[in-house]
Amino acid sequence: MRLVFFLCTFFFANSLFADKLFNGVENINHEVRSISNIDILDRLEVEDVNLEFDYFEEKCTNLRQLIFGGNLEDIGYDIVSIGNGEFYLTGTTRSYSTNGTLDFIVVKINQNKDILWAKKLGGNNDEYIRNAQLGTDGSLLISGLSMSFNANAGDMIAISISASGNVNWSRVFGVNSRFPDAANATYQLKNGDYIISGDFDENGEVCDPVIMYLDKNLQIKWAKRFHSKTGEDGFGVVEVGEYLYFANDVEWLTGGHTYGLVIVKMNTLTGEYLESNSYVSSGQGIFHPYIVKDNVSGYWIWGHFVNVRSPGGTYSEMNPVVVKLDENFNVVRSYKLVTPTRLNNNFTGFHIDGKGGFFITGSETSSNGNGFIFHSNAQGELKIKKKVKSTQRSFVNGVTVYDNRAVFLGSIANGTSGQDLYVADIDLTTNEAIGCSLEEASGVMEAPVFNKSTFSYTVRDITLTNKTHNLNPTDVNLKVTELCRIDTCISTPVIKPKLEVPDTVCVNEIFDLKHDANSKYAQWQFCNQERLLSLITATNNYNSNNPILTGKTVYYN
């Protein structure tokens, strides 16, 4: 008796069991017939084995919507997935500040949104966050503006925080100007060094983009300033081989356009300016652009459209916008989110979904406006359209994706003239979201046309101050309120084979396998009509790139 037939026959004999695991018996029958027809079984060394279902193991996950905070202003701006089911929530807090100013706040939570630790960091004046992301060494990198260490309008600040919540380093950069300088992103390079981008206003007229290279000793290796006609801002950076691509916005790029996107190519190690190209649409220009590499090919740009110089135009009249670029930085497709009321408060959350689409967030600008989250596929079809259900002010500023759920962060009015950090998620297998604080929204995607042209910058070296300052990291005991939750529990079989000889099994879904005490843990995998995917071994020499091994190994083809 071949083991494949033994296992599948067992499922036919227990339809309830089959329904729970595979959503019907017919699919199993199809899989078995297909494998038998292509004669894979005859090429495998399979013998009888003692195999039986031991018990059901229940795995539970939940959707929760929570608020964290005190009685004053606590706002979440960016959320970062660590990749293991844990997340960093970053924002600003006034509730937990010792002197009533705005401090940075960082909260680490697990997949169930239990708080692992919470810290507030700041000086004797206000701190403003602009961006947060994960470093290549696993640290959390925060960028923004600090008013605590400059008696004037503020300096660029970059902070590295360890997984346990300790400050690895913090640096403040500036030109001793009486006007604000802001860090908009901090990126860790593959070699462990850092790139910091931002903008500064030296004489109170217009901003210029600035980008610097910081080595592992936190010393500035080079720093560059870019200038063209009027105002520009420096935001996203991506590392590609030996080059950097630096995304800027340029004010009044062409007549009738308030802002346009410019991407600068630079040598990473030397800071040499190599070339730049502008991207201008027929309607509005991109403001505050960030850039990220796609998981398959090309790049994504996101920000928001703004046209201040149009009749009646203001910075509050924005639309989230996304542009997909190919490997040569040519426009493949563009997406402009159009909603009944204009969105954006200068923060556009974005995350690719790994399937050619993306999530994007925005917030209405009115005093009682709401925060929104949308999911678009590659064709611009909106698959998820949600907004925070509240009669008071709410924001959605950041979004990330992990394990078939989109987790987003913002804030919601707390009823005491303040805001609380707000975190919630959507199950992407069902597009299910909890109804207590989310409801359906309206919106469509348009596809504005972008024209790419060469662009010329004036680039020169810039000397920046580079100082360490104590941010007084302090543990925070956050008040937590659970708005609602949905628990989902899935029963899966746990199997105990005695792997004394090579064995194989065909199954239709991934589920856990536990060996006896002398064998190592493995997992049974999906098998279809072209390939039998079952790789189980009691030895430690298993290599998925070389499955035909000797010893107590299961073969596949």
Side-chain angles (χ1 to χ4, degrees):
M1 177 178 67
R2 291 183 183 271
L3 178 60
V4 172
F5 290 109
F6 169 79
L7 181 64
C8 294
T9 302
F10 182 90
F11 284 119
F12 282 124
N14 191 335
S15 61
L16 175 61
F17 194 82
D19 286 340
K20 280 190 174 183
L21 247 116
F22 305 117
N23 298 320
V25 173
E26 291 184 1
N27 194 28
I28 295 296
N29 186 40
H30 172 73
E31 295 294 336
V32 173
R33 287 199 307 267
S34 298
I35 292 171
S36 178
N37 288 340
I38 62 176
D39 203 26
I40 288 180
L41 296 177
D42 291 340
R43 304 205 302 270
L44 299 174
E45 297 181 30
V46 183
E47 299 182 23
D48 291 344
V49 66
N50 182 8
L51 175 68
E52 61 183 17
F53 293 99
D54 192 28
Y55 56 89
F56 276 100
E57 186 174 73
E58 192 171 62
K59 295 182 178 179
C60 296
T61 59
N62 57 63
L63 297 174
R64 302 176 74 192
Q65 293 187 7
L66 302 175
I67 54 175
F68 307 94
N71 295 323
L72 299 176
E73 178 184 343
D74 307 305
I75 298 178
Y77 285 109
D78 216 344
I79 180 170
V80 177
S81 171
I82 302 174
N84 60 356
E86 297 175 345
F87 305 88
Y88 293 118
L89 316 179
T90 63
T92 56
T93 178
R94 201 180 299 274
S95 297
Y96 299 96
S97 171
T98 55
N99 55 9
T101 60
L102 282 178
D103 284 344
F104 296 119
I105 188 168
V106 182
V107 184
K108 187 177 184 181
I109 62 172
N110 61 19
Q111 192 165 359
N112 291 327
K113 302 186 188 66
D114 303 313
I115 294 177
L116 303 179
W117 52 257
K119 304 274 187 179
K120 67 101 173 174
L121 309 91
N124 58 8
N125 212 324
D126 288 337
E127 323 293 348
Y128 296 93
I129 190 168
R130 184 59 208 176
N131 178 263
Q133 57 187 283
L134 203 65
T136 56
D137 61 1
S139 62
L140 176 68
L141 301 173
I142 295 176
S143 309
L145 181 148
S146 174
M147 299 180 67
S148 295
F149 311 107
N150 184 335
N152 299 302
D155 284 329
M156 303 169 67
I157 187 168
I159 309 167
S160 171
I161 297 177
S162 72
S164 58
N166 297 317
V167 175
N168 295 322
W169 55 262
S170 63
R171 308 294 283 193
V172 176
F173 310 93
V175 292
N176 294 317
S177 166
R178 60 188 181 91
F179 302 101
D181 307 321
N184 293 322
T186 301
Y187 299 85
Q188 190 168 28
L189 300 170
K190 294 175 183 177
N191 65 6
D193 293 347
Y194 302 91
I195 296 292
I196 300 174
S197 67
D199 47 62
F200 74 102
D201 184 355
E202 188 173 15
N203 53 23
E205 294 181 359
V206 293
C207 291
D208 282 338
V210 62
I211 183 170
M212 73 185 84
Y213 186 115
L214 209 64
D215 65 21
K216 297 180 186 66
N217 296 319
L218 307 179
Q219 299 304 305
I220 297 175
K221 186 174 180 179
W222 54 256
K224 303 291 181 179
R225 173 184 180 178
F226 296 79
H227 182 71
S228 92
K229 298 177 181 178
T230 52
E232 305 92 18
D233 304 293
F235 279 83
V237 180
V238 66
E239 179 185 16
V240 184
E242 61 187 287
Y243 304 112
L244 297 175
Y245 290 87
F246 181 26
N248 304 168
D249 62 47
V250 177
E251 188 180 11
W252 207 246
L253 185 59
T254 61
H257 299 281
T258 303
Y259 283 92
L261 166 67
V262 171
I263 299 179
V264 177
K265 182 180 180 181
M266 306 176 66
N267 182 285
T268 303
L269 295 180
T270 66
E272 179 186 3
Y273 168 59
L274 300 174
E275 65 179 28
S276 54
N277 290 284
S278 65
Y279 302 77
V280 179
S281 77
S282 58
Q284 298 169 299
I286 295 182
F287 190 54
H288 290 185
Y290 284 94
I291 184 171
V292 68
K293 189 166 179 58
D294 184 64
N295 60 317
V296 177
S297 177
Y299 306 88
W300 293 91
I301 298 282
W302 74 97
H304 30 270
F305 270 142
V306 60
N307 194 347
V308 181
R309 304 284 173 87
S310 65
T314 70
Y315 277 102
S316 65
E317 293 186 358
M318 301 184 186
N319 294 95
V321 61
V322 176
V323 180
K324 179 67 167 61
L325 305 175
D326 63 19
E327 291 291 327
N328 297 314
F329 291 86
N330 297 310
V331 175
V332 176
R333 189 178 177 96
S334 62
Y335 310 81
K336 175 185 175 182
L337 179 62
V338 179
T339 53
T341 56
R342 291 290 186 96
L343 298 185
N344 237 294
N345 59 322
N346 292 330
F347 286 89
T348 297
F350 175 87
H351 202 285
I352 58 176
D353 65 6
K355 302 175 184 179
F358 57 88
F359 291 85
I360 195 165
T361 71
S363 304
E364 293 173 323
T365 56
S366 59
S367 59
N368 62 343
N370 292 319
F372 292 74
I373 181 168
F374 296 88
H375 179 209
S376 172
N377 63 14
Q379 292 73 42
E381 300 167 332
L382 291 176
K383 299 301 183 181
I384 293 176
K385 297 181 285 186
K386 300 288 184 182
K387 70 175 181 177
V388 179
K389 184 168 62 177
S390 174
T391 58
Q392 302 182 71
R393 191 73 173 101
S394 65
F395 299 92
V396 178
N397 294 323
V399 62
T400 189
V401 176
Y402 177 78
D403 194 26
N404 283 323
R405 53 172 77 183
V407 188
F408 50 96
L409 174 70
S411 66
I412 193 168
N414 58 21
T416 59
S417 302
Q419 296 270 323
D420 286 334
L421 274 73
Y422 167 73
V423 61
D425 47 16
I426 296 175
D427 184 345
L428 301 182
T429 60
T430 62
N431 286 348
E432 182 178 21
I434 303 175
C436 70
S437 60
L438 287 179
E439 61 185 355
E440 291 300 310
S442 299
V444 295
M445 282 292 187
E446 295 180 353
V449 175
F450 281 84
N451 297 312
K452 178 181 177 182
S453 305
T454 58
F455 182 82
S456 179
Y457 256 135
T458 299
V459 184
R460 63 176 184 262
D461 294 333
I462 181 174
T463 300
L464 296 166
T465 60
N466 177 10
K467 299 178 181 179
T468 297
H469 288 284
N470 183 13
L471 293 172
N472 303 309
T474 306
D475 290 333
V476 173
N477 185 17
L478 285 175
K479 180 180 69 175
V480 181
T481 302
E482 184 176 76
L483 300 178
C484 48
R485 67 186 288 164
I486 296 176
D487 293 322
T488 303
C489 295
I490 301 175
S491 295
T492 57
V494 175
I495 302 175
K496 242 196 242 183
K498 293 181 179 179
L499 294 179
E500 298 174 352
V501 294
D503 308 313
T504 190
V505 146
C506 169
V507 296
N508 248 33
E509 283 192 5
I510 294 175
F511 58 96
D512 289 339
L513 171 77
K514 289 184 179 178
H515 291 195
D516 59 34
N518 297 320
S519 303
K520 80 173 191 178
Y521 180 88
Q523 195 174 59
W524 302 61
Q525 299 182 348
F526 184 86
C527 120
N528 61 28
Q529 61 182 1
E530 298 177 357
R531 190 176 182 201
L532 181 63
L533 295 174
S534 294
L535 298 165
I536 312 300
T537 177
T539 65
N540 291 320
N541 65 346
Y542 165 65
N543 182 343
S544 61
N545 296 320
N546 182 25
I548 308 300
L549 302 174
T550 58
K552 299 176 182 178
T553 304
V554 170
Y555 299 81
Y556 85 97
N557 208 313

